Amino acid sequence: QVQLVESGGGLVQAGGSLRLSCAASGRSISSDRMGWFRRAPGKEREFVAEISWSGGSTFYADSVKGRFTISRDNAKNTLYLQMNSLKSEDTAVYFCAAGPTFESRWTHWGQGTQVTVSS
């Protein structure tokens, strides 16, 4: 089993930046695809970004493309999300997730970290 713990959330003004981290423990995530999701107040959880096991492929939701960057450091067993040019609509709880490569499902989730963007 792998445990995922997010950190780095907080309160930031619109236009600012934050960097989220997701530390994995229990086993290596170097063979997993990893992703970030978010749930805004009163809304369903939505996909934000995904990265392949090697970091060679990334995918983004249209709403964050060009502003957010997903990355990973397999040596540190850690996933990152650099968020720039933050908007009030980015306010949400952000979750990291791990899933098997070549499958579409996500098998492990973190507990989430709150990001609040003030306008």
Side-chain angles (χ1 to χ4, degrees):
Q1 289 291 336
V2 62
Q3 292 78 45
L4 303 174
V5 179
E6 302 92 338
S7 62
L11 175 64
V12 63
Q13 288 190 331
S17 299
L18 280 176
R19 188 195 196 200
L20 304 184
S21 298
C22 171
S25 62
R27 65 162 175 81
S28 170
I29 58 168
S30 60
S31 62
D32 292 80
R33 64 193 180 92
M34 299 294 294
W36 287 98
F37 293 76
R38 67 186 182 186
R39 185 174 62 237
K43 295 188 176 181
E44 298 288 321
R45 185 175 63 198
E46 65 174 358
F47 168 79
V48 174
E50 177 180 338
I51 189 168
S52 63
W53 68 272
S54 66
S57 296
T58 57
F59 307 92
Y60 297 92
D62 288 344
S63 58
V64 307
K65 203 171 294 183
R67 300 187 298 120
F68 290 11
T69 302
I70 188 171
S71 63
R72 65 191 299 163
D73 186 335
N74 286 340
K76 294 183 178 180
N77 227 26
T78 301
L79 175 73
Y80 303 99
L81 185 69
Q82 178 67 43
M83 305 186 295
N84 299 328
S85 302
L86 282 161
K87 306 175 181 179
S88 58
E89 51 263 45
D90 294 320
T91 294
V93 178
Y94 284 73
F95 302 87
C96 64
T101 298
F102 304 125
E103 295 187 38
S104 60
R105 62 195 178 106
W106 299 95
T107 55
H108 297 86
W109 294 85
Q111 84 290 346
T113 186
Q114 177 70 48
V115 172
T116 302
V117 184
S118 63
S119 57

